Amino acid sequence: MSSLPVCRAALSAPFLQFLDDNGRDPSPLLKRLRIDKRKLTTPTLYLPSHVVSLIVDSASKTTGHDDIGFYAAQYVNNQALHPEFQHHLASSEGLTDFLDALISFQHLQGSHFKLWFEYLNGELKICHQSSLKATNKSYEHANEFTTFLIIKLLKDQLGASWQPNYLAFDHQSSPKAKIVGQTTEKKVFYGADYSYVPVSLNVDDLQPFRRQPNQRHCCSMARVKGVVDTFWQEEHFGIDFVAHLFGVSERTLQRLFIQHNSSFRDYLNQKKIEKSMVLLQQGHSVQAVAEKLNYSDPSNFSRAMKKHLKQTPTQYLKSLSLSS
């Protein structure tokens, strides 16, 4: 799948509709690609991502819009989402449930992008990364389309007037007035590590998940890890927080980790070590990293890194200098 990413064929429909509404007949393009327009809304139809990329690039060139990703997202309707995905999003009860559905069922849209969450200091980042190569002509259009598709879905939860404070994209571009205008602070950052939509969120206001068809699904390891991956940097984060969100006991979660030959503490420490490696590579001191990751002192950080990486921070830094 990674060598030939696919996406739902219906995602090309908003771009074709934009062409049509701007007096550009999409029929010649579809004929050249041997695509039947009537079949594009078939729920089970997927196309190679590069084919949809050709449609996007052609729509941009034909209409002269370099911000076509934004405009196409305004044409998105329920058909652009997989029926099961749409069902779970529509039946979400509150933001917590919506975010869980968004991350749990994203695969139904295809393998064309990766979606994940990061949370720190009252800000939730809904991050995404396209499977298209950055050199692809339609890469930035796909990025912007995904961003505004996410925003469109968020407005169903946060209100039609909601706007993000700012936006971040991993592609390089000159500021686009229409896109800048969709943020409250009139700020758009380009060249970020990944694209994301920020949402102001008080973690204490999160409600337990309501979508619990069965206990096993509620506590699937992938969903638990998703919560840990999102919120682990919070100062008072712990297993009690995760248990509260899933509406189960801490013992139930511990058993789940044991079934996967791990423990909650080990997985949390693994996340800390992965982050510490990035910070050390960026030039932060051992003491600064220990403080950032809430270790009581640098020696505890050194012991934790030694356990998980078989190297102390000093040894890790030395290995980096030898390999460069």
Side-chain angles (χ1 to χ4, degrees), residues 9-278:
L11 285 173
S12 63
F15 293 92
L16 295 173
Q17 186 61 50
F18 184 72
L19 272 175
D20 216 4
D21 284 4
N22 279 267
R24 305 291 195 274
D25 183 7
S27 300
L29 171 63
L30 294 176
K31 184 176 181 180
R32 189 163 68 248
L33 295 174
R34 298 180 180 179
I35 296 175
D36 184 344
K37 184 179 180 181
R38 294 170 299 179
K39 293 183 178 180
L40 285 177
T41 56
T42 304
T44 56
L45 182 62
Y46 291 82
L47 290 174
S49 294
H50 79 274
V51 173
V52 178
S53 171
L54 291 174
I55 294 175
V56 172
D57 186 49
S58 178
S60 175
K61 288 180 178 178
T62 304
T63 60
H65 278 276
D66 64 350
D67 50 5
I68 194 170
F70 163 76
Y71 284 103
Q74 311 313 307
Y75 285 85
V76 167
N77 56 30
N78 292 346
Q79 290 180 329
L81 301 177
H82 188 283
E84 185 179 353
F85 191 23
Q86 171 64 26
H87 167 73
H88 286 291
L89 290 175
S91 60
S92 298
E93 300 183 32
L95 184 60
T96 308
D97 226 28
F98 167 81
L99 293 172
D100 178 50
L102 188 64
I103 205 76
S104 297
F105 296 97
Q106 59 170 303
H107 64 281
L108 296 174
Q109 291 297 101
S111 60
H112 59 298
F113 70 92
K114 178 184 177 184
L115 182 69
W116 73 99
F117 302 146
E118 292 184 2
Y119 181 86
L120 188 63
N121 298 329
E123 182 179 78
L124 177 75
K125 294 178 181 178
I126 302 180
C127 314
H128 63 89
Q129 204 159 35
S130 173
S131 62
L132 297 174
K133 293 182 179 180
T135 54
N136 191 298
K137 294 179 180 179
S138 61
Y139 183 81
E140 69 176 76
H141 303 313
N143 265 352
E144 291 166 2
F145 175 76
T146 300
T147 283
F148 285 102
L149 173 56
I150 291 171
I151 290 174
K152 188 179 182 71
L153 296 174
L154 279 169
K155 285 177 181 288
D156 291 337
Q157 294 293 321
L158 303 175
S161 62
W162 178 82
Q163 289 184 322
N165 293 333
Y166 65 95
L167 289 172
F169 295 100
D170 67 348
H171 62 266
Q172 296 288 351
S173 175
S174 300
K176 302 173 182 178
K178 196 65 179 180
I179 290 178
V180 171
Q182 306 307 307
T183 66
T184 60
E185 297 178 0
K186 303 299 181 274
K187 292 181 180 178
V188 177
F189 301 102
Y190 294 97
D193 291 336
Y194 42 81
S195 302
Y196 63 86
V197 178
V199 180
S200 297
L201 177 67
N202 186 343
V203 70
D204 295 329
D205 293 336
L206 286 175
Q207 299 297 316
F209 296 123
R210 299 179 187 275
R211 184 177 55 80
Q212 299 178 1
N214 58 60
Q215 193 76 352
R216 181 178 179 184
H217 178 66
C218 167
C219 293
S220 68
M221 196 61 174
R223 294 181 71 210
V224 171
K225 285 184 175 180
V227 169
V228 176
D229 293 352
T230 301
F231 296 104
W232 70 270
Q233 295 186 77
E234 278 300 285
E235 184 177 358
H236 301 295
F237 177 80
I239 193 170
D240 55 335
F241 173 84
V242 183
H244 168 71
L245 277 186
F246 283 97
V248 298
S249 68
E250 294 178 23
R251 180 175 295 181
T252 296
L253 288 181
Q254 290 287 21
R255 283 200 300 265
L256 181 66
F257 277 94
I258 291 172
Q259 290 169 7
H260 289 79
N261 301 313
S262 182
S263 70
F264 178 85
R265 177 176 294 180
D266 282 347
Y267 187 73
L268 181 56
N269 283 336
Q270 177 187 325
K271 298 302 299 181
K272 287 186 174 184
I273 297 306
E274 289 173 357
K275 181 66 173 182
S276 71
M277 292 166 67
V278 173

Side-chain angles (χ1 to χ4, degrees), residues 282-303:
Q282 292 174 344
H284 295 275
S285 68
V286 174
Q287 182 170 343
V289 173
E291 291 176 356
K292 282 179 177 289
L293 299 181
N294 296 318
Y295 285 100
S296 56
D297 60 64
S299 61
N300 286 340
F301 167 45
S302 295
R303 282 193 291 271

